[in-house]
Amino acid sequence: MSGTSAALKPPADATTPVRHPDAPAPGELLGAHYGHCFGCGEEQSHGLHLAARAGQGVSITAEFTVQPAHQGAPGLAHGGVLATALDETLGSLNWLLRTIAVTGRLETDFVRPVPVGTVLYLEAEVTAVAGRKIYSTATGRIGGPEGPVAVRADALFVEVKVDHFTDNGRQEEIRAAMSDPDQLRRARAFEVNP
């Protein structure tokens, strides 16, 4: 990525990321972490409905189709929507570490326009871990894994406790998520939100 700031360069003592033994298997669909998430939630009518799959090591692939509701300029995806897709993809990596983390910094390069109706194919990986800091990178390509690069991002995620969400979120949504009888959905609801 061009011009990555010093804040996104791992320190010399950073370690190689290690996939958690209970992480989803390579190729497994991760599913939505929360039904109302704009990035991946199936209950968001204008959301991205981004679908992510576990990859090898600490990597994932994801895709979403740019819909008319995602426009900025006529017929083109809004840059903020593309940044959201990158952020959602990068945040989903934390599920492979089984770590609750939030976006601390996201730097994005917009390389080419992405037309409405396009499938954006994303690849992301964790590159390093230093204490509570998780460094990662992602690339979005038009049409498939070999398509032209449209967007790129580098990110820093910071590990947090679940209190980050329960203390700051709107209480009715917190209560609903915490009372979900599905233990996995309950845990995932708090994994990637800022």
Side-chain angles (χ1 to χ4, degrees), residues 35-129:
H36 293 286
C37 174
F38 182 78
C40 65
E42 64 278 350
E43 297 172 44
Q44 278 290 346
S45 59
H46 295 298
L48 304 183
H49 303 144
L50 187 132
R53 292 188 180 279
Q56 298 295 324
V58 189
S59 71
I60 65 166
T61 60
E63 351 185 301
F64 88 98
T65 302
V66 179
Q67 300 296 324
H70 303 146
Q71 290 182 81
L76 297 173
H78 189 286
V81 167
L82 298 174
T84 299
L86 288 161
D87 186 46
E88 183 70 28
T89 302
L90 290 158
S92 295
L93 287 164
N94 297 313
W95 189 241
L96 301 179
L97 299 172
R98 293 295 175 119
T99 300
I100 299 171
V102 296
T103 310
R105 186 174 189 97
L106 177 70
E107 291 186 14
T108 305
D109 282 339
F110 299 95
V111 179
R112 70 181 61 227
V114 179
V116 169
T118 298
V119 174
L120 190 66
Y121 179 85
L122 300 124
E123 296 177 318
E125 68 176 331
V126 176
T127 57
V129 176

